[in-house]
Amino acid sequence: MDHITFLVAVVIVTALAFDFTNGFHDTANAMATSIATGALKPRTAVLVSGVLNIVGAFLSTEVAKTISGGIVDDTLVTPGMIFAGLVGAILWNLLTWLIGLPSSSSHALFGGLIGAVWVGAGEHGVHFDKVVEKILIPAVASPLVAGVAALIATYLAYKLTARGRKDSVTKGFRLGQIASASLVSLAHGTNDAQKTMGVITLTLISAGALGHEAGPPVWVIACAGLAIGLGTYLGGWRIIRTMGKGLTEIQSPQGFAAETASTTVILTSAHLGFALSTTQVASGSILGAGLGRRLAEVRWGIAGKMVLAWLITLPAAALVGGVSASAVKHGGNFGTVVVALIGAAVAAGIVLISRRNPVSHHNVNDAHEVTIRTEPPTPVGTAA
């Protein structure tokens, strides 16, 4: 325990804070379609998802090892760099949550970490070959694979049930959605909780508390699982509304197809150690399910905004992580405190703005877009 300095403790707490934001940011990946089709009530959905995220965290550590010993040189990383990278990831998560945009929490983390290590240790501190192999290629391939799989599955689902009674078909697929959405939650915990495990493990390695190429200790696995599970239970209702009602009008056969495709892709990648974005996989599956149903409306404008967010997430988080790392590197403890205070102030501001137009389990299915009111409403009877 001599290696657990105050800074290391701060980094661990910050990593768990990121894990918490990852949970509520990505609840939609598992439960948006089930909530939209009525297969699960909103509160029940997030409770089931939260519990299964915790369980999933204990199933594998391959992705965690990719983070702790793959994309950056753990011999050059310091706790201060990791702290700076986490600040960039958390702020990007909160900003995209505010506007209801399902961007990638995973890429926010990777971007923040890459930018911070690049500034703090130099270009040679980042293994760009591993970034391409383990992050960029899966980022392009995974939503396409999931989308095609969901498209085919949706087409077959409607084809095979074309002569069935509509109410019976709907009921059957809703029951199937309970199982498929639960599997997505389990897969999400297996994939995304590991990313925080990897960051904490990297911090402990950099502080000398663990040997190089070590895997995450049990207490790290447990803490990461609990943090992401709690975040998931609180529900990222803004993003749930976008994914459940924004991309396309989802029916129960489409929801089942999308969730099954997402689970298959996420669990396969977790087994292979690919740190892909579960948000991109789930979004690709929903789009594929929309295209697979005849006459279904796909809202390409919202899809385009999502793709744009995917493209800028990694560099945007890297920029914030790099600036934060520069302040930590040159300012020492004072710089670290300044970064922490600024980050906390920005986060608090985002949360306050979100209260102007709240989205909860009561209105999550009311509309497909989240708007942010920038001015207080005009009182009744007052001229505009």
Side-chain angles (χ1 to χ4, degrees):
M1 297 298 291
D2 292 340
H3 297 283
I4 308 298
T5 63
F6 175 75
L7 179 57
V8 170
V10 168
V11 174
I12 292 173
V13 171
T14 307
L16 294 175
F18 165 78
D19 204 25
F20 177 82
T21 66
N22 190 350
F24 73 72
H25 196 280
D26 288 4
T27 309
N29 298 347
M31 292 300 174
T33 53
S34 293
I35 292 172
T37 64
L40 286 168
K41 295 185 180 299
R43 276 297 185 192
T44 302
V46 295
L47 176 60
V48 170
S49 187
V51 171
L52 290 174
N53 265 274
I54 296 173
V55 175
F58 288 88
L59 297 184
S60 174
T61 59
E62 292 303 316
V63 174
K65 292 175 182 176
T66 296
I67 306 298
S68 62
I71 63 174
V72 294
D73 188 342
D74 59 19
T75 63
L76 299 176
V77 174
T78 65
M81 297 177 200
I82 299 172
F83 170 74
L86 287 168
V87 170
I90 290 172
L91 293 182
W92 183 257
N93 268 0
L94 290 175
L95 178 62
T96 50
W97 162 76
L98 175 67
I99 59 179
L101 196 59
S103 69
S104 171
S105 296
S106 303
H107 288 183
L109 176 61
F110 302 147
L113 188 59
I114 290 168
V117 173
W118 196 343
V119 169
E123 182 179 348
H124 55 284
V126 181
H127 297 154
F128 287 101
D129 56 334
K130 291 294 184 182
V131 172
V132 173
E133 176 190 352
K134 297 288 188 178
I135 297 175
L136 297 184
I137 292 178
V140 175
S142 60
L144 294 177
V145 172
V148 171
L151 187 154
I152 295 172
T154 299
Y155 173 79
L156 291 175
Y158 281 102
K159 192 76 173 176
L160 294 173
T161 59
R163 297 184 179 181
R165 291 177 53 190
K166 185 176 180 180
D167 56 343
S168 298
V169 171
T170 299
K171 182 178 180 181
F173 275 112
R174 282 182 176 177
L175 291 174
Q177 274 194 275
I178 296 174
S180 59
S182 297
L183 286 174
V184 176
S185 296
L186 191 71
H188 183 265
T190 302
N191 193 282
D192 277 44
Q194 287 192 62
K195 292 159 190 172
T196 298
M197 295 177 208
V199 168
I200 295 175
T201 302
L202 181 60
T203 303
L204 296 174
I205 291 173
S206 69
L210 291 176
H212 295 295
E213 300 184 1
V218 175
W219 69 267
V220 172
I221 297 173
C223 289
L226 288 171
I228 200 170
L230 180 59
T232 300
Y233 174 68
L234 291 181
W237 303 111
R238 293 171 178 275
I239 299 175
I240 289 175
R241 182 154 71 176
T242 298
M243 290 185 71
K245 293 292 185 180
L247 289 174
T248 185
E249 289 298 325
I250 290 287
Q251 296 181 353
S252 54
Q254 294 168 282
F256 177 77
E259 290 158 1
T260 303
S262 295
T263 300
T264 303
V265 172
I266 294 168
L267 286 179
T268 301
S269 68
H271 177 70
L272 296 174
F274 292 124
L276 54 70
S277 165
T278 53
T279 300
Q280 292 181 0
V281 172
S283 300
S285 295
I286 292 173
L287 283 173
L291 293 172
R293 177 167 70 90
R294 186 183 177 189
L295 302 180
E297 177 190 3
V298 176
R299 301 183 181 94
W300 293 108
I302 294 177
K305 292 177 183 178
M306 286 172 45
V307 173
L308 179 61
W310 294 352
L311 292 175
I312 65 174
T313 290
L314 199 148
L319 178 62
V320 177
V323 171
S324 300
S326 179
V328 171
K329 181 179 180 180
H330 299 291
N333 291 334
F334 177 75
T336 302
V337 171
V338 169
V339 169
L341 291 176
I342 293 176
V346 173
I350 291 173
V351 172
L352 288 174
I353 292 173
S354 73
R355 293 183 178 179
R356 293 178 178 273
N357 186 24
V359 180
S360 69
H361 63 285
H362 296 294
N363 63 351
V364 67
N365 282 333
D366 288 354
H368 68 263
E369 291 187 83
V370 174
T371 57
I372 306 300
R373 184 185 296 133
T374 56
E375 297 179 359
T378 303
V380 178
T382 304

